[in-house]
Amino acid sequence: MIYRKISILLAFFLFSTSLFAQTKSSDEDGWLKRNWSNMIARYNVYFNADRMLNDAVNGLYTSHKDNFEEILTVYPYGDEAAAKNMRAPMEETMKKASKVINQRPHSKWVDDAWFIIGQTYFYQDDQYAAIETFQYLYSKFYDEEMRAKAQLWVMKSYLRQEKYNDAEAILSLIRENKTAIKNLEGEIHLVAGDLYIKQGKYGLAVEELEAGLPLTKNRIIRYRVHFILGQLYLDAKEYAKAGEHFERVVKMNAPYEYVFQANLGMAKATAESGGTGIKATKKSLRRMLNDDKNIEYYDQIYYQLATLEFSQGNEEQGLEYMLRSSAHAQSNPAQQTKTYLFLADYFFNTRQYDRSQSYYDSAVTVLPSDYPEYDKITAKHAVLSKLIDNIETVQVQDSLLKLSMMPREELDKLIMAKIEEKERAERLAKEEEELRAQRDRMNRNRTPGGNDMGGTGDGTWYFYNTASVSRGYNDFIRTWGKRSYGDYWKYANKVASQSGTGAAPEDPIDDPLSYNADADPDQQKALADIDEDKRAYYQNIPFSTTAKLVANKKIQAALLEMGEIYYNELKEYAKSIQALEAYLTRFPQATKRPEGMFYLAKAWLDYGDTAKYDEYALKIANEFPESPYNKVLNSKEVVESGEDLEVLSLYERMYSNFYKENYDSVRSIKVDVDTRFAGNSIQAKFDYLYALMIGKTEGKEAYIEELEAIKDNYPGTDIANIAAYTITTLTTDQMDDKIDMSLYSDDLEGAHYYVITAKTEDAKQIEVDLTEYNERFFPSKTFQIKSLVFGDKTLFYIKSFPDKAEAENYHREMKANYTFLTNLGLEDISLYAITEDNFRTLVKSKEESIYLYFFNKYYPFEL
């Protein structure tokens, strides 16, 4: 019986083997072969590719560094550098996945292999190739779930390309096929949440993330989503929910950076909610200061402690913590930005402008250009920088003048004491540096020295005000970039007080910045017997008459600009009065005296003293009756009355009508203003806008006539300078349209020069001034400046610019700073860019008028 059963089994085996042989010979794609091929494709090739992909992606996720100042993204794909690092493992993964396609083309894992290849492109940030691969997968294969996955990853690629509308459209298509996406719902919710975060639709993002979180198994993604929900609820002021999600991050044993930031998030939620947990939160934060793991986070801990104290009205303690945050925020630009701006705003609001400016100085060095209100912050910084620069100019120059009046023996003793003090300070600093690490470990909670970056020293005495000693105009320009020339020294005056306390003789120095002590023989004579190692302490002291004049001129300009900044920008009328009265008292013959009186009168009026306003209005009327400032103060006082708003409204209407080409309305508004508000504070703007309208409607001659009137009525103002330049440009255009311009080549490719022709008595000095100008405003460029006689003018040429566009940019800058050229004493000025070939033709032919016509045609600029 047993033998019979064995025989039957053996017969069955032989029959099966025979059947397999027949099947193999007749059907290459038989069941057994297909399954064998699928098994090899899956476990020998696809498995390795999939594992390699997952390992690389997990490495990408864990190495990612988040900016916790922003709402996080769900998937941490990283930046360009991360994509570059993914290239090698992704290329290896692609090779393995390609084997499935090439060696097992009939296996059911081919579509999965294409899906992996699409992901390898995605993680290398080659989104075009990724989209192309996923679209191929969608069109060539018919597994509905795989097609849905392909669509989802096309959506992800659109997100990385910031094509949010396209991503949203794909999302709608994906959700139409309910059956196919059953196993993808969690991932779809999270990707949709990412999309809505990027679009700023935080409410929708919360709904998607809350729906996707329970369906997500990946631990990294789970704690990231909890953290993101904490951020979003905090933004929505739903503090209890925010705290719940931050707490989940802590309990999930996430990486320490997330745990720390989640603890801070809970502290923020407590602080902003004003809840009863503030005391416990502060205790927790202070406890974190005792944990060595948190040393690199001290800046953030102190910042959060500060906000908690400020939220409870504990200003003194809050400020102490914020200063500590500033001291520790040395390697975290995001926290530096927050802390510096907080302190800058705090000191600005408490009218401590020197300290505020110091923190704005620090903030702008780390402030990203896309930071919210970037322009507003940098504008406030610029105003305060100008103010502090002027304050320090007055302090330093006054101190230097006092030093110059001291007997030499007494001055030598003072300087020797200062040298000894400096050496002692350097010695102590070295010792302090050696002990710093130990002291910090023993007393971390102590406010470090030097944490308050505000102020310029306790006194105004030159040698004790080290910030002022080191501060200078060129340093300011180099540090903070280009400022219009007129912004800082537009008030250079003709006279200054020799002693700094009374009237001044006529000053031969037109611009204090042009003064060169090395070229002043009297100054050099005074320094001749000074040892080289001590000269640095003497060299800035104005010993010569000329040096004293320059020092007083700097004080004069600084006081006037201080007064105007306090009045116009900061509305500090008492401080404006103080600065302007000092200006008028110390420099009674100043050429800008009408301007000083004008702002002093306005400051007194806004301060609430109408009697003082009337006093200065009368003075300016008696002493400077033809001044435009008198016309404003003693017309109908539009600026100081309720009619001011109406005047501004009329100007806005006039401006709007001009650009809509409603010229009849422009004309009627001008007549109305001239009738009811003649001499108002913005009369020059009305007149200039009217001139532009005349140019549009009545032709060039009438336009020039109006511009001439503006130039005469508002001398020395920016509008007058613009009018003068426009006249110069227009008059070069008054020649026959058939003029022969063939003298100059219209091939404008290649290198350019920039030309300034003008009348001057000191060409060499102008070359120096232009060199200085370029060094200030174009520090990254290397220009050569030369000059040659050009008829009754001098031709200055600046070379070279690589192309027409660069030369045009320089021309725009020079036009914007046209006042700079007139302040140098240049007359009959012409400005233009020119190719090297045309320059040679110009110099040889001297046909400048023809070239100006050529320039206006081929280099069109808006005037």
Side-chain angles (χ1 to χ4, degrees), residues 723-733 818 828-830 852 856:
Y725 181 80
T726 305
I727 291 168
T728 301
T729 304
L730 290 173
T731 53
T732 64
D733 195 24
Y818 188 79
D828 193 12
I829 302 170
S830 295
L852 287 170
N856 289 333

Side-chain angles (χ1 to χ4, degrees), residues 509-575:
I509 305 297
D510 290 330
D511 180 3
L513 292 178
S514 68
Y515 172 71
N516 182 1
D518 293 337
D520 182 348
D522 292 336
Q523 181 74 4
Q524 292 307 304
K525 182 178 179 181
L527 297 172
D529 60 341
I530 305 298
D531 293 339
E532 194 64 34
D533 59 339
K534 299 178 183 177
R535 182 167 289 232
Y537 294 87
Y538 288 86
Q539 64 183 4
N540 291 326
I541 300 174
F543 293 111
S544 72
T545 300
T546 301
K548 288 183 173 68
L549 289 170
V550 169
N552 276 286
K553 176 157 289 189
K554 291 179 179 179
I555 295 170
Q556 185 178 342
L559 284 172
L560 180 59
E561 189 163 23
M562 280 168 57
E564 293 186 11
I565 292 172
Y566 277 130
Y567 179 83
N568 286 321
E569 308 291 345
L570 303 176
K571 311 303 179 188
E572 290 276 8
Y573 304 122
K575 291 184 177 180

Side-chain angles (χ1 to χ4, degrees), residues 316-327:
E316 184 176 349
Q317 183 62 62
L319 180 60
E320 180 183 343
Y321 281 140
M322 195 61 73
L323 292 172
R324 289 182 181 181
S325 173
S326 170

Side-chain angles (χ1 to χ4, degrees), residues 94-150:
M94 185 185 296
K95 289 178 184 178
K96 290 185 178 298
S98 298
K99 288 181 179 180
V100 175
I101 298 169
N102 296 327
Q103 297 177 10
R104 305 289 173 178
H106 300 294
S107 82
K108 69 178 183 180
W109 295 96
V110 171
D111 55 349
D112 296 273
W114 277 112
F115 184 61
I116 285 181
I117 290 172
Q119 291 179 82
T120 63
Y121 286 125
F122 177 88
Y123 286 112
Q124 293 180 78
D125 202 19
D126 186 352
Q127 301 309 324
Y128 293 104
I131 291 170
E132 192 175 72
T133 303
F134 293 131
Q135 287 176 339
Y136 172 82
L137 177 60
Y138 181 85
S139 63
K140 294 294 183 181
F141 297 90
Y142 301 102
D143 182 285
E144 289 299 320
E145 184 174 324
M146 180 58 73
R147 297 180 79 197
K149 287 168 68 175

Side-chain angles (χ1 to χ4, degrees), residues 260-280:
F260 173 79
Q261 294 295 338
N263 279 313
L264 282 190
M266 287 189 283
K268 291 176 185 177
T270 303
E272 294 182 20
S273 66
T276 56
I278 288 182
K279 185 175 180 180

Side-chain angles (χ1 to χ4, degrees), residues 583-732:
Y583 169 75
L584 293 171
T585 301
R586 292 181 61 172
F587 307 103
Q589 303 302 318
T591 55
K592 295 288 185 179
R593 188 173 176 81
E595 188 174 342
M597 286 185 176
F598 172 78
Y599 279 103
L600 184 55
K602 287 162 67 69
W604 275 118
L605 186 68
D606 287 329
Y607 191 65
D609 193 331
T610 55
K612 280 288 188 181
Y613 169 81
D614 292 337
E615 176 186 337
Y616 282 100
L618 181 61
K619 277 187 177 182
I620 200 170
N622 292 334
E623 296 181 28
F624 307 99
E626 298 304 317
S627 166
Y629 298 107
N630 176 51
K631 294 178 181 179
V632 172
L633 283 182
N634 294 294
S635 59
K636 294 190 176 184
E637 302 175 10
V638 174
V639 175
E640 319 305 345
S641 72
E643 295 170 344
D644 186 28
L645 293 177
E646 185 174 357
V647 170
L648 293 175
S649 176
L650 285 168
Y651 182 75
E652 289 174 2
R653 282 173 50 203
M654 186 173 173
Y655 188 91
S656 176
N657 279 289
F658 174 80
Y659 279 94
K660 292 177 181 177
E661 299 184 356
N662 298 331
Y663 299 132
D664 289 340
S665 297
V666 172
R667 194 184 301 272
S668 63
I669 292 171
K670 179 63 163 59
V671 171
D672 183 28
V673 169
D674 288 348
T675 301
R676 296 195 294 134
F677 305 113
N680 64 77
S681 63
I682 57 173
Q683 185 69 52
K685 290 188 176 182
F686 280 108
D687 291 350
Y688 185 68
L689 193 54
Y690 179 76
L692 292 176
M693 185 273 294
I694 292 295
K696 294 282 189 180
T697 58
E698 299 184 19
K700 186 183 299 181
E701 294 299 329
Y703 183 30
I704 292 174
E705 185 178 342
E706 291 295 330
L707 292 173
E708 290 283 4
I710 291 172
K711 187 180 72 171
D712 294 339
N713 290 337
Y714 306 101
T717 65
D718 289 341
I719 284 182
N721 290 331
I722 292 171
Y725 181 80
T726 305
I727 291 168
T728 301
T729 304
L730 290 173
T731 53
T732 64

